[in-house]
Amino acid sequence: MKELNVLVVDDEAGKKGKRTDTYMFLEKETIDGYPLKLTFAESQSDALSKIHNGHFHIILIDVVLAGWGDSNGEAFDQILKIASEYSPVAIVSSEWDMTSIPLVRKALQGTPSIDIRLFLRWQDLVNKSTRNMVVMVLQNEINRYYGIRDINRDGEQSIRILHLSDLHFGSNKNTLIGAELRRVVDKIKKEWNDGPDFVVITGDIANTGHPNDYRQATEWFEKFADYFKWKIPSRRFLIVPGNHDFNVALANAQNASIISGGKLKYKPSINCITPGLEKYAMVPFQQFAQSITGWKDDTWRNMPFGHWVETSYRIHGIVFSGFNGSYRATENGWPKRWLNEDDITDVEDIINNTDNFISDLFHITLSHHSPVKTEAEQPVENSEAFRTNLIETSAIPHLIFHGHEHRRDAHLYDGKSLVVCAPTPTLREENRPPDCARGFNMVELNRNDFSVDGVKVFSYVLDSNRWNRINMKEYTFSLLHGFREVKIS
């Protein structure tokens, strides 16, 4: 990203506008090191055309457009509605008085979904001190809207993703603490000096889904983040649950009774999940995820939680989605491997309707069990629904992260989807094959002009008490040819 593009919609600015020089003061400023480049709309129709066809990081709209024949605010109302669908918007007025305020109030009341947070005066751009304030609020809104604050990458720099899975906090297998965590961080910094841009965790954070498991996990994540000088909560963390994050005991609570010694005993109906309690079985996970990611919407409050979509990083050419495939219980109380088809359809609609105003979008999905039936040992049971509803119907390429199998793997599926499985960093189980050595994946998304055009996948695995890098796969990507594997020398 060489500059931040600003569209100015003002009937008194542009080729002959008297306020042009006032707006041009913004081109003396920078946001996050990027210069501002202004474009002026010449008319109402020109404004709408530029909004539809241009790529603007923020749009400034004057309230009173009398010079364009807009006496009652209809043009302002139309432009505001369209602009708010494409980028963040700042509303500008010469003075906030009874000329401008009723027009804005009318527009916002007519469309309550419009989220406008900036109300500026154009003359504040003239004075250096007030202009600094304007630039500061513009910076905050652009960062909030696009997620630039944490991920500061230009259009040619790779996006770096650390892939963890099956941490199993609360079990006696977890050893990624203390000095060993320090060694893991050292290996990550060896590859990426300032750390990953994103950390994706594909389930089984806990071992039993008990709140104590997540207390251990929270301490670990806080320590991990501290090594990179991040603050928790952080939107860098993208999380989905696994089958071990389903608290079977909680789902069966109505069948439990306390016997001597404070022990729990379940009635014979233990093999049947208690209706009404099943949806609460992931509440400890959801509370943990809320505390780590900091998402303020209803993502983690829905019961049962099924999916999430994160599009705020589309300025970097990527969008994320995550699925919970472990909240439908079987007869024995354990969750089955299943994706709710309404969740798949909802993700499909959101992703396909996301504006790729900067670059071609690259869709990254997280799931504990593989959502496609390929070389995976235990994919979701309804993988056909994922394939037909989200892969075949989408023109957007797909990178799928999953876990569960405790092995490292990367392979192509249908030419335009890349499936990556992470090993577990916990103690290795006996009689497991070599690709199940303890470790974690590191993934680099190569980009050209903000669009992903290649993916490199490699792992660090623990062998004889040493963390060694294992090169796995490297691919080029184009919308025309899909993924093509590159031979690693």
Side-chain angles (χ1 to χ4, degrees), residues 153-416:
R153 300 257 166 226
D154 67 30
E156 309 302 316
Q157 290 178 302
S158 296
I159 297 292
R160 305 161 305 187
I161 301 175
L162 177 68
H163 181 196
L164 301 174
S165 195
D166 299 84
L167 294 159
H168 291 284
F169 286 102
S171 71
N172 59 3
K173 297 179 180 180
N174 189 284
T175 57
L176 271 189
I177 55 176
E180 186 168 282
L181 175 58
R182 175 73 259 184
R183 288 195 293 270
V184 167
V185 169
D186 287 344
K187 294 301 180 183
I188 295 171
K189 288 187 173 182
K190 179 181 178 181
E191 302 290 344
W192 303 325
N193 184 50
D194 53 347
D197 298 309
F198 298 99
V199 181
V200 302
I201 306 101
T202 50
D204 282 3
I205 291 96
N207 198 52
T208 65
H210 192 278
N212 281 337
D213 296 355
Y214 295 111
R215 277 192 276 274
Q216 293 182 31
T218 298
E219 292 176 3
W220 187 90
F221 275 87
E222 289 175 346
K223 184 68 173 179
F224 179 86
D226 189 56
Y227 278 121
F228 296 104
K229 296 181 170 56
W230 303 339
K231 298 292 185 182
I232 295 289
S234 172
R235 297 182 73 90
R236 291 179 184 270
F237 293 105
L238 298 148
I239 303 174
V240 293
N243 51 291
H244 280 264
D245 294 303
F246 184 96
N247 191 319
V248 177
L250 182 59
N252 281 279
Q254 192 168 331
N255 297 321
S257 59
I258 300 176
I259 60 177
S260 61
K263 297 180 180 180
L264 285 176
K265 180 180 180 180
Y266 288 94
K267 298 176 183 178
S269 58
I270 184 175
N271 290 332
C272 298
I273 289 290
T274 305
L277 284 181
E278 179 182 359
K279 65 182 180 181
Y280 295 99
M282 280 193 174
V283 168
F285 164 82
Q286 289 168 263
Q287 292 175 339
F288 162 78
Q290 173 76 44
S291 69
I292 295 299
T293 65
W295 291 356
K296 301 299 184 183
D297 57 19
D298 290 332
T299 296
W300 303 118
R301 298 190 183 98
N302 294 327
M303 291 188 293
F305 157 69
H307 71 285
W308 52 257
V309 181
E310 175 59 272
T311 63
S312 63
Y313 295 107
R314 61 194 184 278
I315 194 172
H316 302 290
I318 53 178
V319 291
F320 293 92
S321 66
F323 288 95
N324 177 9
S326 302
Y327 66 85
R328 289 185 58 176
T330 59
E331 292 182 356
N332 64 8
W334 282 97
K336 65 188 302 184
R337 305 186 306 276
W338 191 270
L339 297 181
N340 186 296
E341 295 190 18
D342 288 340
D343 293 330
I344 298 173
T345 301
D346 191 34
V347 169
E348 175 194 19
D349 291 341
I350 295 172
I351 296 297
N352 288 340
N353 290 309
T354 298
D355 298 314
N356 55 337
F357 54 91
I358 293 296
S359 61
D360 297 318
L361 287 178
F362 192 78
H363 183 187
I364 302 170
T365 288
L366 280 64
S367 176
H368 181 60
H369 303 92
S370 174
V372 294
K373 190 173 183 180
T374 57
E375 300 175 19
E377 295 176 5
Q378 290 185 322
V380 295
E381 295 177 21
N382 60 336
S383 58
E384 186 69 14
F386 186 90
R387 182 182 65 82
T388 57
N389 292 318
L390 196 56
I391 292 182
E392 290 185 349
T393 61
S394 177
I396 299 175
H398 224 112
L399 170 60
I400 299 171
F401 287 114
H402 75 94
H404 182 67
E405 298 169 24
H406 293 200
R407 65 186 181 92
R408 64 182 186 278
D409 183 43
H411 60 269
L412 295 179
Y413 175 77
D414 75 2
K416 67 175 184 179

